[in-house]
Amino acid sequence: MNFKKFAIPAVMTLVASLISFSAGHVSAAGQTQQYGPYASTSPDEGTCGNAWATDTFDRHFKVSTSPNADGTYTVTEQFKRGSFVTIAGLSPGSCDTNPGGTVGAGVTGSMHGSFTIIVTGGTFTPVGECGAEPCTTVSFIATHFPGATYAVPTFQFHYSAGPNGQWKNASADRGGNHGDITGAP
């Protein structure tokens, strides 16, 4: 048996698979393309519609490069390595999980979360950049799916502020909202 005849193609296949995996492509249910991280800062809205904190995080996007059966595309946006600083006023759960709750300015903590985004219309354009500084959900969809609209039917965020509490802000299919961040620093 000629070992070289069989070993070289097998090694080449393995190398090609590793390169594809490291570039962010997954072949299980179609391919995905990953983008990010994009450093971001954003005000955070509580259940009363108030800005209760300023969040700082890295934004990552994972795009299914093949359309769903109905022609839409699924994009997962992840918010990683996040932190927040509170703004004095109503707490994040004040109009839901903790009626009348308040939070002082300067409470700090960590946060992470995700959106499941359904993109309708437009054309998937796998450009390498978000197209805006800072990168936002709106600018990412505009540059990667020109002419599209989108909805965020599923979301989930976790906030932890030690003795000031835990807050989960989530869509109903992810268990809904729980807890609150309250008190002073």
Side-chain angles (χ1 to χ4, degrees):
M1 175 177 222
N2 184 345
F3 178 75
K4 290 181 185 176
K5 180 178 178 181
F6 294 100
I8 300 284
V11 170
M12 303 262 308
T13 300
L14 177 61
V15 169
S17 295
L18 291 173
I19 290 169
S20 178
F21 179 75
S22 68
H25 298 294
V26 180
S27 61
Q31 290 195 343
T32 61
Q33 179 65 48
Q34 296 185 32
Y35 301 89
Y38 300 104
S40 299
T41 300
S42 176
D44 203 330
E45 188 174 295
T47 56
C48 295
N50 61 301
W52 71 274
T54 301
D55 299 341
T56 303
F57 49 86
D58 287 338
R59 207 181 283 264
H60 298 256
F61 295 89
K62 184 168 52 172
V63 178
S64 295
T65 60
S66 298
N68 300 316
D70 63 0
T72 63
Y73 284 84
T74 301
V75 176
T76 301
E77 180 176 5
Q78 294 179 312
F79 303 83
K80 298 180 179 182
R81 296 175 19 122
S83 62
F84 66 89
V85 178
T86 60
I87 300 165
L90 297 173
S91 65
S94 187
C95 287
D96 184 6
T97 58
N98 183 21
T102 60
V103 66
V107 173
T108 60
S110 61
M111 60 82 65
H112 65 275
S114 66
F115 286 157
T116 299
I117 304 168
I118 304 300
V119 180
T120 304
T123 303
F124 175 56
T125 306
V127 296
E129 294 300 319
C130 187
E133 285 294 326
C135 181
T136 64
T137 306
V138 171
S139 61
F140 183 85
I141 298 300
T143 56
H144 291 78
F145 296 91
T149 60
Y150 70 92
V152 181
T154 299
F155 61 91
Q156 180 171 312
F157 290 87
H158 293 275
Y159 302 83
S160 179
N164 294 92
Q166 306 278 322
W167 167 241
K168 176 185 172 189
N169 178 220
S171 54
D173 63 330
R174 294 292 184 250
N177 297 331
H178 293 285
D180 204 5
I181 306 287
T182 60

